[in-house]
């Protein structure tokens, strides 16, 4: 006991010292003060100021929240089957989850990004990547439904994705785990120089948003981790972090004194797009699924495609450079002016800030420090603009408020640090509860951020909420960033494991939000638009029930003559033409799902009766 | 030894002390004392101090809990608390911590040590402590690999330390690793010198 007492006394003296420092700050910024409660209070019936779209991580989906209230409005199914509305179960939507590997019911969604025009959020679409089976999805911000999913062949670990260029010309997809390209069986210890890290550029058709793989840049086999587009003056470039120290350490091309550095790849995509347009590049093998959902037929279809244009980065002069970054860079962000590129070495304590102007000068002067597989490495000193010496540990991601400040998360020291662009001085820091990963400021990845709120998405929850057994929802924290000091306003639980989020002023999308589907525009092949057309058609063992539902009955409400061994398709059309009157349909013993049909929509579920009898549906 | 036995009374003592100490400073800033006292009493809940201050009933101690439970590391614990870096030591990591013993601290000049523990030197002390942490897992086997490949160890303060072998022992710079403990968030190597970056 003596020893314990001593420790307690010693410690409390130590604790008192820090406790005081922390506390006087907390006291003056009082997260629990009534004014902070008012800041997040949205009175009943009123709307939030921002929509926030949080990736679901291992849920495979995207969740929609309001800011500042932290209320969850919706989960949008993207890469996973979703029992709530039958996505991925209903006959119409199953095709959305097709891939070259077959039907995949559950994915891993990562980084949402909202479409832009002139570098500003335009609220047309939101894109999100699937990390495990490389894919990109496009979601309409009118219907909040997934409209298209394109698979990325020749790639593995689609993590450096799905960020948009400033006029939504391209979405990129990276290869986080270098692989043989083309794929083949080979010994892993011969990977060096043999593996590749293709970076895919997916073009967007501006009218409908349709995606097409324009080209793949067949980069050396490093691991491309995250990316962001240049904007404004650096528009036309894309920047990717890479890591894989084993490869870097054993790489002949890299000078021994640079062993502790990996690279940012700077890619002039405009130049490469032009090259491809003029017939450059080689068509290489690559099978991929392209799934599109047609709103008028309410039906998804899969087109299996073959082959992509591959570009060797060495074939396009002046298009690709490497910039050295200390210690395994993870996050990479570009400030709203497009002038500064921030690379965060996740094992480092510092952020490295690169200047786009300096980069262009270094390119012009051929200020190289060797090359990696023929790609010039710009000398570190010639491109480095400054260093944010934060004192934090494990920097991950940076967002900007549009007022001259950057906000960076630190995973190991579990904090957010606010720093000034230009002086690179730390202005403020706050602890995060706990182990922060990403953070988001609405428009934080654009020319025009809305620097009112910032929220952190945290990996560890522990005791933040009432305990719910070993499995807990992750926590997010909302901060007011209008003053010099950040202020914690609110804690709210999130769904799955959010890896990044995109947020947008509600005004930019809420007036465009669809309220119901026009029955007249319903081109579903099995739709029936009034009760007198409802019927049952049999074709051998196939039975098609063309049914309608309207408050509060089905037509037909009895179906007779179905036999064991038949396959019954219930095509249900919701005849309602009112906002927020969906109808559900469930059939006893159906092995698919229940379905939820929006007003004006038609959806189909199948039922294969197992036993004779009289079986209800509702 | 039950580590939680230590943490509980510590945390409550800490809360009490903070309330007393800090409300007095708030009074001068804000006329509405009663509100402040109320908000502060909520504010200083253990979870709002960070992960180091919550009870998670974990079976295996993390790096900080190990140090708190060790009679040979009271000075280190005091330094960690004075620098306010407790939360970094309980994070999921993985981290490798080189933990100087009390004897190691006693090798330092007494005034230097006392000065470092003063609040105004919090950031300098923090930097010294970061020089004792390597991000990632470095069990002895991995350190031996560093020796074989002549690879320096990157420390969390951004500097490097040379890893060498003398006989059966692994040295970090001139400092011998005298014991190793696997903790829930990485590895703790006990060393008999304070590692100072020149």
């Amino acid at each position: 006991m003596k020893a314990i007492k001593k420790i307690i006394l010693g410690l409390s003296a130590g604790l008192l010292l820090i406790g005081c420092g922390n506390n006087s700050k907390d006291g003056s910024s009082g997260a629990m003060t009534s004014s902070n409660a008012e800041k997040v209070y949205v009175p009943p019936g009123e709307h939030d100021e921002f929509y926030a779209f949080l990736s679901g991580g291992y849920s495979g989906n995207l969740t929609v929240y309001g800011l500042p209230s932290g209320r969850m409005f919706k989960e949008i199914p993207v890469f996973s089957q979703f029992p709530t509305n039958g996505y991925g179960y209903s006959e119409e939507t199953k095709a959305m989850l097709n891939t070259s590997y077959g039907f995949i019911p559950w994915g891993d969604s990562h980084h949402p990004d909202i479409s832009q025009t002139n570098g500003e959020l335009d609220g047309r679409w939101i894109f999100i990547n699937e990390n495990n089976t490389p894919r990109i999805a496009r979601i309409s911000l009118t219907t909040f439904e997934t409209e298209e999913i394109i698979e990325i062949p020749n790639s593995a670990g689609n993590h450096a994705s799905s960020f948009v260029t400033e006029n939504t010309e391209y979405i990129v997809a990276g290869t986080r785990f270098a692989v043989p390209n083309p794929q083949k069986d080979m010994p892993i210890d011969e990977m060096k120089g043999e593996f590749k890290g293709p970076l895919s550029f997916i073009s967007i058709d501006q009218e409908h948003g349709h995606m097409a793989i324009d080209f793949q840049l067949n980069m050396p086999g490093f691991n491309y981790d995250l990316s962001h587009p240049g904007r404004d003056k650096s528009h036309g470039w894309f920047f990717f972090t890479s890591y894989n120290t084993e490869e870097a350490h054993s790489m002949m091309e890299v000078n021994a004194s640079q062993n502790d550095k990996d690279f940012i790849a700077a890619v002039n995509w405009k130049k490469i797009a032009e090259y491809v347009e003029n017939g450059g590049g080689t068509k290489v093998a690559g099978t991929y699924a392209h799934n599109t959902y047609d709103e008028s037929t309410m039906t998804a279809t899969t087109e299996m495609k073959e082959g992509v244009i591959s570009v060797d980065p060495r074939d396009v002069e002046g298009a690709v450079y490497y910039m050295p970054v200390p210690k395994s860079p993870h996050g990479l962000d570009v400030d709203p002016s497009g002038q500064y590129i921030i690379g965060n070495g996740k094992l480092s304590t510092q952020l490295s800030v690169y200047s786009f102007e300096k980069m262009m000068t270094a390119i012009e002067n051929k200020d190289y420090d060797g090359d990696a597989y023929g790609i010039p490495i710009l000398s570190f000193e010639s491109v480095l603009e400054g260093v944010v010496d934060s004192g934090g540990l494990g920097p991950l991601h940076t967002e900007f408020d549009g007022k001259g400040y950057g906000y960076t998360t630190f995973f190991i020291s579990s904090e957010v640090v606010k720093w000034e662009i230009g002086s690179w001085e730390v202005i403020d820091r706050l602890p995060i509860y706990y182990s922060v990963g990403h953070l988001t400021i609405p428009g934080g990845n654009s020319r025009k951020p809305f620097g009112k709120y910032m929220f952190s998405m945290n990996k560890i929850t522990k005791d933040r909420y009432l305990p719910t057994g070993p499995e807990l929802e992750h926590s997010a924290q909302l901060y007011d960033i209008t003053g010099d000091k950040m202020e914690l306003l609110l804690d709210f639980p999130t769904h799955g494991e959010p890896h990044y989020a995109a947020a947008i002023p509600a005004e930019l999308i809420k007036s465009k939000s669809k309220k119901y589907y026009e029955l007249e525009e319903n081109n579903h092949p099995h739709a029936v638009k009034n009760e007198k057309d409802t019927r049952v058609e049999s074709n051998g063992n196939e039975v098609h029930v063309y049914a309608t539902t309207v408050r509060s009955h089905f037509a037909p409400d009895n179906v007779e003559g179905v036999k064991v061994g038949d396959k019954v398709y219930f095509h249900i059309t919701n005849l309602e033409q009112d906002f927020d009157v969906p109808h559900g349909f469930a059939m006893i013993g159906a092995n698919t799902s229940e379905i939820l049909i929006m007003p004006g929509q038609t959806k189909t579920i199948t039922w294969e009766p197992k036993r004779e009898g009289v079986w209800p549906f509702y | 030894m039950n580590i939680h036995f230590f943490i509980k009374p510590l945390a409550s003592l800490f809360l009490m002390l903070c309330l007393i100490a800090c409300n007095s400073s708030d009074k001068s800033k804000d006329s509405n004392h009663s509100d402040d006292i109320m908000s502060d009493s909520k504010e200083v809940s253990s979870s709002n101090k960070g992960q180091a201050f919550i009870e998670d009933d974990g079976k295996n101690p993390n790096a900080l809990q190990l140090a708190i439970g060790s009679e040979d590391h009271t000075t280190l614990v005091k330094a960690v608390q004075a620098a306010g870096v407790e939360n970094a030591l309980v994070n999921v990591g993985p981290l490798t911590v080189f933990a100087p013993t009390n004897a190691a601290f006693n090798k330092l000049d007494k005034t230097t040590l006392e000065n470092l523990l003063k609040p105004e030197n919090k950031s300098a002390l923090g930097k010294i402590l970061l020089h004792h942490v390597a991000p990632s897992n470095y069990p002895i086997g991995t350190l031996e690999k560093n020796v074989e490949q002549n690879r320096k160890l990157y420390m969390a303060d951004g500097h490097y330390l040379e890893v060498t072998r003398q006989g059966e022992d692994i040295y970090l710079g001139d400092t011998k690793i005298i014991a190793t403990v696997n903790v829930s968030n990485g590895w703790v190597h006990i060393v008999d010198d304070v590692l100072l970056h020149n």
Side-chain angles (χ1 to χ4, degrees), chain A residues 42 67 109 135 142 165 216 228 238 252 256 312 320 331 467 496 502 508:
Chain A
V42 177
L67 300 180
S109 64
R135 281 170 288 170
T142 310
T165 55
Q216 288 190 324
H228 265 102
F238 227 108
M252 297 296 287
D312 185 324
V320 184
L508 290 177

Side-chain angles (χ1 to χ4, degrees), chain A residues 1 3-4 7-8 10-12 14-20 22-24 26-28 31-32 246 249 260 327 347-349 389 391 393 411-414 433-435 460 462-464, chain B residues 5-6 10 13-14 17-18 21-22 25-26 29 40 43-44 47-51 53-54 56 71 74 77 81-82 84 86 88 91-92 95 117 119 122 127 130 135 151 154 156 160:
Chain A
M1 267 322 274
I4 292 166
I7 291 168
I8 290 173
L11 271 184
S12 47
L15 285 165
L16 180 55
L17 296 178
I18 1 145
C20 245
N22 291 344
N23 254 26
S24 55
D26 289 344
S28 60
M32 290 294 185
E246 271 309 309
H249 279 211
D260 57 320
K327 304 315 296 177
L347 298 181
S348 175
T349 56
D389 199 355
L393 256 184
F411 175 69
I412 297 176
S413 51
S414 194
Y433 313 103
Y434 310 101
S435 300
I460 307 272
K462 296 219 175 189
D463 65 345
R464 297 306 291 177
Chain B
F5 182 63
F6 284 78
L10 271 179
L13 189 54
F14 171 50
L17 287 166
C18 285
C22 298
S25 68
D26 285 336
K29 282 188 208 156
D40 269 5
E43 182 61 24
V44 198
S47 65
N48 280 351
K49 301 309 301 174
Q51 279 191 73
F53 299 89
I54 56 178
D56 62 5
E71 289 184 7
T74 52
V77 171
Q81 310 282 23
E86 309 93 312
N91 210 308
V92 283
L95 291 171
L117 292 172
K122 188 174 164 181
K127 282 232 155 151
L130 284 181
R151 208 183 274 164
Y154 176 79
Y160 289 83

Side-chain angles (χ1 to χ4, degrees), chain A residues 474-544:
Chain A
H474 286 213
S475 84
Q477 271 121 27
L478 180 75
Y479 297 82
D480 177 343
I481 54 165
T482 53
D484 288 342
K485 301 280 180 194
M486 300 174 276
E487 274 194 85
L488 174 60
L489 299 177
L490 182 72
D491 244 44
F492 60 97
T494 60
H495 197 53
E497 181 188 16
H499 301 269
Y500 197 48
I504 183 169
E507 291 306 323
L508 290 177
I509 52 178
K510 79 175 190 185
S511 62
K512 292 184 279 185
S513 186
K514 208 177 196 68
K515 294 187 168 62
Y516 60 88
Y517 297 95
E518 291 287 345
L519 203 52
E520 281 173 21
E521 292 168 12
N522 178 338
N523 293 320
H524 191 290
H526 301 294
V528 276
K529 299 192 182 177
N530 54 61
E531 285 189 12
K532 69 178 168 36
D533 293 337
T534 59
R535 63 199 182 274
V536 179
E537 286 178 5
S538 295
N539 179 14
N541 287 339
E542 260 186 28
V543 179
H544 290 268

Side-chain angles (χ1 to χ4, degrees), chain A residues 355-371:
Chain A
S355 147
F356 178 70
E357 251 165 55
K358 283 190 172 179
M359 184 189 98
M360 295 309 284
T361 309
I363 290 171
E364 202 176 312
N365 297 339
K366 295 195 185 317
D367 203 346
Y368 302 155
D369 197 353
D371 68 284

Side-chain angles (χ1 to χ4, degrees), chain A residues 204-255:
Chain A
I204 307 300
D205 144 39
Q206 295 303 306
E207 198 183 339
H208 301 105
H210 289 153
M211 300 185 281
I213 300 175
D214 198 24
F215 59 89
Q216 288 190 324
L217 190 60
N218 203 25
M219 295 289 281
F222 310 140
N223 296 347
Y224 297 88
D225 203 20
L226 272 166
S227 63
H228 265 102
R231 58 180 59 98
D232 203 345
K233 64 186 72 172
S234 54
H235 177 56
W237 289 80
F238 227 108
F239 304 95
F240 297 81
T241 47
S242 71
Y243 70 98
N244 180 359
T245 43
E246 271 309 309
E247 173 89 25
H249 279 211
S250 55
M251 203 172 58
M252 297 296 287
E253 292 86 348
V254 178
N255 182 313

Side-chain angles (χ1 to χ4, degrees), chain B residues 96-112:
Chain B
T96 300
V97 179
F98 296 90
T101 56
N102 290 347
F105 278 101
N106 288 338
K107 290 182 191 173
L108 296 179
D109 173 61
K110 205 177 170 190
T111 354
T112 311

Side-chain angles (χ1 to χ4, degrees), chain A residues 243-318:
Chain A
Y243 70 98
N244 180 359
T245 43
E246 271 309 309
E247 173 89 25
H249 279 211
S250 55
M251 203 172 58
M252 297 296 287
E253 292 86 348
V254 178
N255 182 313
S257 68
Q258 291 185 329
N259 273 1
D260 57 320
K261 293 189 176 70
D262 295 299
F263 298 126
I264 286 174
V267 175
N268 186 331
W269 57 262
K270 268 194 179 166
K271 210 166 231 184
I272 301 168
E274 211 175 274
Y275 170 79
V276 171
E277 206 173 323
N278 294 326
T282 325
K283 182 126 181 184
V284 299
T287 308
Y288 62 101
H290 187 188
N291 309 326
T292 44
Y293 176 80
D294 182 328
E295 192 183 306
S296 92
T297 61
M298 292 142 205
T299 303
T301 46
T302 297
E303 192 183 347
M304 291 304 288
K305 293 185 169 171
E306 187 56 54
V308 288
I309 299 291
S310 177
V311 175
D312 185 324
R314 293 164 298 200
D315 290 347
V316 192
E317 212 195 317

